[in-house]
Amino acid sequence: MLTDYHNHLERGTLTLDYLKQFTDQANAKKIDHFGISEHAYHFYQTKDILSNPWVNERRYYDMEDYIKLFQQAWDAHIDVKMSIEMDYTPGKHDEMAQFIKSYDFDYVIGSIHWIDDFGIDLGEYKHEWERRNLQETYTKYFDQVVTLAESNLFDIIGHIDLVKIFNYIPTDEEFLLAQYERATTALANSKTCVEVSTAGLRKQVGKLYPDPRLLEMCYKKAIPIVLSSDAHVPTDVGKDFDKAIELARSVGYSSIMTFEKGKRKEVPLG
């Protein structure tokens, strides 16, 4: 069994024809559970959750149109899961919970892209990495991983160590492992699964998410996983899944989690 739960239509259109390019690719890759998880900040309905100049310029969707697209797909017997990728926003738990409860998502991904006003994975903010204390940035990032897990709002945490995207990685291994330890402890006490994502292979860091040591901690603490490509174009659906499966198996995983309308089921991997 294979999943690809983290994918985006934002570079194209919210149309059935464009969506079908993704689902066709998923079918060709023999992906059993495929979902679209558009960025929540694109939608007018999230303006009270995350708002800053970068995000506000990119808020141009309405959830009504998004839901209609999935209904069209299901009416056409296209098997696609409806999801959202929310930027976890400290201090906005009530607002995030209300948004999530308002829609019949199959699952919800929570991700961390912002540390205060610092967009950690955005090229426009890359210069900030040289201006900031690396350990402090990592500490603040993993603070959010912990509180994201503790919120229990999300089914999946997206690219759990996205903070390494530009290859700024602390050399102090003890410090880094301490961040992994507290993050996985919080996740083990939550409903949140971890995605093994191939997206990092297409980024500057050139590595899978998560780091093998982090994923091994997840396995030892019985945290379930899913597979994801974080595709923003159809050709990236299921890309490099052989490497994701190899990593998952190398630390001990033999199963993955699947989702449908909030219900979860663990199934064999591969």
Side-chain angles (χ1 to χ4, degrees), residues 121-233:
D121 64 328
L122 299 175
E124 298 94 319
Y125 292 81
K126 189 176 177 182
H127 63 280
E128 288 287 333
W129 282 100
E130 294 293 341
R131 300 177 57 248
R132 296 173 182 247
N133 180 278
L134 186 57
Q135 287 199 2
E136 183 178 327
T137 298
Y138 266 68
T139 299
K140 288 182 176 180
Y141 179 87
F142 281 98
D143 284 347
Q144 290 194 49
V145 174
V146 169
T147 52
L148 181 156
E150 291 173 344
S151 76
N152 231 23
L153 290 171
F154 306 99
D155 299 295
I156 301 166
I157 181 168
H159 36 59
I160 184 174
D161 54 349
L162 178 71
V163 69
K164 71 186 182 187
I165 187 168
F166 292 123
N167 226 16
Y168 288 93
I169 301 171
T171 55
D172 185 337
E173 185 175 13
E174 184 177 354
F175 166 80
L176 191 59
L177 293 180
Q179 306 313 305
Y180 296 169
E181 180 67 34
R182 65 192 185 101
T184 52
T185 296
L187 287 162
N189 291 318
S190 79
K191 71 174 186 179
T192 313
C193 301
V194 168
E195 69 174 17
V196 179
S197 172
T198 61
L201 296 172
R202 306 190 299 274
K203 305 297 183 179
Q204 184 173 330
V205 69
K207 298 176 181 177
L208 293 160
Y209 306 119
D211 180 284
R213 295 166 295 180
L214 176 50
L215 189 61
E216 184 175 13
M217 287 186 190
C218 290
Y219 175 72
K220 289 180 177 179
K221 296 180 184 181
I223 300 167
I225 61 167
V226 301
L227 304 180
S228 291
S229 64
D230 199 354
H232 286 67
V233 294

Side-chain angles (χ1 to χ4, degrees), residues 39 80 95 261:
H39 287 291
V80 58
E95 292 86 347
K261 299 303 176 193

Side-chain angles (χ1 to χ4, degrees), residues 104-135:
D104 193 19
F105 296 118
D106 286 291
Y107 58 92
V108 178
I109 299 173
S111 298
I112 299 155
H113 298 96
W114 296 90
I115 299 174
D116 300 321
D117 61 349
F118 175 26
I120 61 166
D121 64 328
L122 299 175
E124 298 94 319
Y125 292 81
K126 189 176 177 182
H127 63 280
E128 288 287 333
W129 282 100
E130 294 293 341
R131 300 177 57 248
R132 296 173 182 247
N133 180 278
L134 186 57
Q135 287 199 2

Side-chain angles (χ1 to χ4, degrees), residues 16 20 24 43 51-52 89 139 142 148 177 195 200 265:
L16 192 59
K20 197 170 182 301
D24 286 349
F43 295 91
S51 184
N52 63 48
T89 308
T139 299
F142 281 98
L148 181 156
L177 293 180
E195 69 174 17
K265 181 180 180 181

